[in-house]
Amino acid sequence: MQRSMISMTLSAVSLRDLALVQAVHQHGSFNSAARAMHISPSGLSHQVQKVEQALGSPLFERGGRRIVPTAGGHQLLAQIAAVLTAAEHLQQMARAGAVAFGGELRLGLPASLGPYLLPHLIEPFPQHFPGARLGISEGKPRGLLRRLHEGELDAVLAPAGPAISGIAVRPLFFEPWELMLRADHPLAGKRSLSLEQLDPAEAILMAEGHADGLNGTGSESAQTSRGYVQDVSLESLAALVSLRGGYALIPALAHERLASMPNIVLAKLTGQAPGREIALHWRDASPWHVDLQAFAELLRKLARQRPGLRVAPEKSKVTGR
């Protein structure tokens, strides 16, 4: 209904007036309702008459021992209840604005990052953002960024990529790859290896279509490797290495979990080891810009506490993309 269609008399009715009418209906008595609403019975009666005049219809039958609605009053009282419920929801939403992210951060993460980062994030998140809920979605970076652009997600943790119009990016940390080998591999006894010591033909690589930066050791190795795998978890990748032999590259945050898998050993990569730059992405138009900056700082703090990660330089600025 347009505001121009609301009469001047009805526009003068307040939510308090409607709440008083509802109290009379619930208590069935002006005296009981007046006590509950902390108003005099005569004042309550006056406010109810004000609402009835604005609506142009009586709401209650008076004179009996119990106040009951008129035939038309039943329908009007249902609408009054709906208005008060809507007002309560409006108030709750307004209060949620005082909570970080409006009460929930809808975060997207690649499947090769989420299971290994979230255990370190679950405890400090509510401490830093009281009252806010953390909602998680996993997927491929390209799909997550599309959902971010379309408003389905509030932020995405993903490797830096081509510029996206309307998307802000805050670099967080560099995560190097580590080497995963079958336990009987000739190089399995070494704690660190260089890429030059590896045979590209033995590599098991994540397909480029996975789009999360697990793209092997370079174009030459990609052409001569044992083959690509796509849409598998890192645990499944470890199982393939255990079955086929050879090696694969895994992100450093997955070290703790994958190191415990049978028939698998991990080694560090020396020299200019490959890896991925992880950044926080969000919409330029997001109303939670300050909260997202604080969330980025929390992630940077967590990165400082994790072995192998290198926090992005402080000079890195948020960029609109």
Side-chain angles (χ1 to χ4, degrees):
M1 180 182 294
Q2 298 178 358
R3 291 187 178 183
S4 60
M5 297 176 63
I6 300 177
S7 68
M8 292 296 295
T9 53
L10 183 57
S11 65
V13 171
S14 68
L15 292 175
R16 168 69 173 174
D17 296 333
L18 297 181
L20 293 174
V21 168
Q22 187 179 62
V24 173
H25 177 45
Q26 291 173 340
H27 290 273
S29 163
F30 277 92
N31 289 334
S32 298
R35 286 193 296 269
M37 300 301 290
H38 307 287
I39 188 174
S40 67
S42 60
L44 174 60
S45 178
H46 174 76
Q47 295 303 108
V48 171
Q49 289 178 5
K50 172 186 171 182
V51 174
E52 290 177 323
Q53 290 173 0
L55 294 174
S57 176
L59 295 171
F60 301 107
E61 296 178 359
R62 294 168 172 81
R65 296 183 59 183
R66 179 174 177 83
I67 303 298
V68 296
T70 63
H74 279 288
Q75 294 181 339
L76 293 173
L77 286 166
Q79 290 299 314
I80 287 173
V83 170
L84 291 172
T85 298
E88 183 178 355
H89 290 169
L90 178 63
Q91 180 174 263
Q92 291 172 350
M93 292 180 64
R95 287 175 177 171
V99 178
F101 312 110
E104 180 180 13
L105 172 60
R106 300 170 299 172
L107 180 66
L109 303 97
S112 61
L113 176 63
Y116 316 104
L117 178 64
L118 287 176
H120 309 292
L121 182 60
I122 295 301
E123 181 178 353
F125 182 85
Q127 297 173 357
H128 284 74
F129 306 103
R133 176 178 177 271
L134 182 61
I136 299 299
S137 293
E138 285 191 351
K140 299 180 182 179
R142 183 177 300 176
L144 292 172
L145 291 171
R146 175 187 55 78
R147 293 176 62 192
L148 173 66
H149 188 75
E150 294 175 354
E152 295 180 17
L153 297 173
D154 300 311
V156 167
L157 275 168
I164 303 176
S165 177
I167 300 298
V169 179
R170 175 70 187 275
L172 299 176
F173 56 83
F174 175 80
E175 182 182 22
W177 302 137
E178 293 186 2
L179 193 63
M180 178 169 60
L181 309 99
R182 194 163 72 176
D184 62 357
H185 192 281
L187 299 176
K190 298 183 178 296
R191 298 184 62 181
S192 61
L193 295 164
S194 67
L195 293 178
E196 288 73 20
Q197 294 176 266
L198 302 171
D199 182 355
E202 295 183 345
I204 301 177
L205 305 177
M206 300 292 282
E208 291 179 358
H210 201 96
D212 61 0
L214 284 171
N215 55 3
T217 60
S219 59
E220 181 180 353
S221 64
Q223 294 170 2
T224 58
S225 70
R226 286 176 174 242
Y228 289 120
V229 292
Q230 188 171 4
D231 295 334
V232 298
S233 67
L234 294 181
E235 283 80 359
S236 295
L237 183 63
L240 286 174
V241 171
S242 178
L243 290 171
R244 297 184 185 179
Y247 65 88
L249 300 179
I250 60 142
L253 279 172
H255 178 101
E256 185 175 345
R257 184 178 301 185
L258 297 184
S260 64
M261 295 190 67
N263 204 31
I264 289 295
V265 296
L266 302 179
K268 304 291 184 182
L269 283 170
T270 60
Q272 293 292 328
R276 57 183 177 180
E277 293 278 357
I278 297 297
L280 184 65
H281 306 69
W282 69 85
R283 291 183 300 282
D284 285 330
S286 172
W288 318 121
H289 182 81
V290 174
D291 296 334
L292 289 163
Q293 287 279 27
F295 181 61
E297 288 306 315
L298 172 59
L299 292 169
R300 288 167 60 85
K301 178 181 178 181
L302 293 177
R304 292 188 186 96
Q305 301 169 355
R306 306 312 305 166
L309 302 187
R310 298 202 301 269
V311 178
E314 290 290 350
K315 64 181 180 180
S316 296
K317 301 293 184 181
V318 174
T319 58
R321 311 190 73 186

